[in-house]
Amino acid sequence: MAVVGPGAAFEPGKTHSVRNFKDVMSGTILAVLVSEEQAVPWTKPSDLSFDPSDPLATLGGQVPPWGIPVLMADGKIRTLPASTTAEQFQALVTIAGGESTEFLDNVAPVTGEANPHSRLFGFPAIGDHGLSDLSP
C-alpha cells in the first residue's frame, strides 16, 4: 500500500514531483507490503496512513521479526530489518526531511530471481535496475 501522510511522497491535498524529493530516491519509501489485517482489496481506494508523531503505528507498532518489504522511490524493493527504529522509518518515509539514511547501506535491494517479492507491488521484478534505468 502507498504510504500517505505529512512529508511523505503521497500527501493529502498535495501533488509532488521528483523536484520535491530533497532526500535521495533510494532512501525514500513509496509503498509498504502490509499484513493481512491491514490489507484491502486492490480496487478499494485506500492507503496506509503515516503519522510523523508515531511513525511505527503505520506498521502496527513495530517492524515484524521477518522484516518488511518496501518499494523505494528509485524502484528498488528492500526488506527493512526488524531492528528498524521509529526515527529510521520516519526518515525513510519523508521526501525532504534531510535525515540520514546511512543505516540502509547494510540493507541490499532484493534483486532478480532471488526476489520473493517480485510481484508484491503489482509489477514484475526490476532486478538490479531502478525505474530510472528503464527505457520505453
Side-chain angles (χ1 to χ4, degrees):
M1 291 178 72
V3 180
V4 177
F10 305 104
E11 193 167 358
K14 293 187 178 181
T15 302
H16 292 297
S17 73
V18 174
R19 288 185 214 113
N20 298 112
F21 283 71
K22 304 301 180 207
D23 295 343
V24 296
M25 303 289 266
S26 62
T28 304
I29 293 173
L30 296 181
V32 174
L33 182 66
V34 297
S35 67
E36 286 188 38
E37 294 80 30
Q38 291 176 297
V40 297
W42 68 271
T43 55
K44 183 178 178 183
S46 184
D47 299 301
L48 193 61
S49 294
F50 170 70
D51 178 1
S53 67
D54 189 7
L56 288 180
T58 304
L59 305 175
Q62 66 184 24
V63 175
W66 53 86
I68 188 161
V70 296
L71 173 65
M72 308 306 286
D74 67 352
K76 293 187 175 141
I77 297 171
R78 294 181 183 261
T79 300
L80 298 183
S83 60
T84 303
T85 66
E87 293 78 19
Q88 289 171 330
F89 186 72
Q90 181 170 353
L92 293 171
V93 170
T94 59
I95 64 171
E99 307 94 341
S100 170
T101 57
E102 281 184 25
F103 59 91
L104 275 183
D105 292 347
N106 296 324
V107 181
V110 181
T111 60
E113 296 300 317
N115 185 351
H117 313 297
S118 63
R119 292 198 174 267
L120 292 179
F121 294 104
F123 50 84
I126 296 171
D128 293 323
H129 305 287
L131 291 176
S132 61
D133 299 329
L134 301 177
S135 57

